[in-house]
Amino acid sequence: MKIALVDDSVILRSALKNVLESSGFQVVLEAGGSRELFSLLEKSKAELVLLDVFFPTENGLDMLAKIKRISPQTKVLLVTGLRQETILAEAQRLGADGVLYKPFDTDDLLAAIERMK
């Protein structure tokens, strides 16, 4: 499975990339925000976007809506540290395929991705 990682933390993206690639997934895109994501998304052929919800100057839910508009077949797994019903409801309304809550371990991440297949 080809995966795009979208998070403003370079350290977290690097750690996630190592875990995913050592588990047999292909990380085809790493982005720190929407500008990088949308300039590369169509070229990357990502099947799954692992997308943080909160960014310093952007909203991951807005990015989710745009991903689903331009590439409805691309699956999106949102990552958030907040367990708020409003976020979950909005994510589902916008077409998120799953939500993973921080902190999570490797097994949680891989199980969530397996459910996306």
Side-chain angles (χ1 to χ4, degrees):
M1 178 178 267
K2 295 179 180 180
I3 299 176
L5 300 175
V6 187
D7 194 290
D8 57 313
S9 170
V10 174
I11 293 169
L12 182 58
R13 286 196 321 259
S14 177
L16 290 173
K17 180 178 181 175
N18 289 336
V19 166
L20 293 170
E21 289 182 342
S22 68
S23 298
F25 297 103
Q26 183 181 4
V27 175
V28 294
L29 186 157
E30 290 182 65
S34 63
R35 186 178 317 159
E36 295 169 281
L37 171 64
F38 293 112
S39 69
L40 300 171
L41 184 61
E42 295 211 16
K43 296 174 192 168
S44 74
K45 308 258 192 253
E47 299 164 276
L48 170 67
V49 177
L50 190 61
L51 175 64
D52 194 15
V53 172
F54 295 104
F55 292 80
T57 60
E58 303 178 90
N59 182 327
L61 294 173
D62 292 339
M63 286 187 249
L64 165 63
K66 187 171 180 180
I67 291 167
K68 289 298 186 171
R69 259 194 326 273
I70 65 172
S71 184
Q73 75 282 358
T74 301
K75 297 192 181 302
V76 178
L77 177 59
L78 286 180
V79 179
T80 182
L82 291 178
R83 293 179 182 262
Q84 292 181 346
E85 288 298 317
T86 54
I87 292 174
L88 181 58
E90 184 66 3
Q92 289 173 333
R93 185 186 73 75
L94 293 171
D97 297 283
V99 177
L100 184 62
Y101 293 102
K102 294 177 186 175
F104 56 85
D105 62 27
T106 301
D107 291 338
D108 295 334
L109 172 64
L110 297 176
I113 292 172
E114 286 299 320
R115 289 190 295 272
M116 301 289 119
K117 287 184 172 179

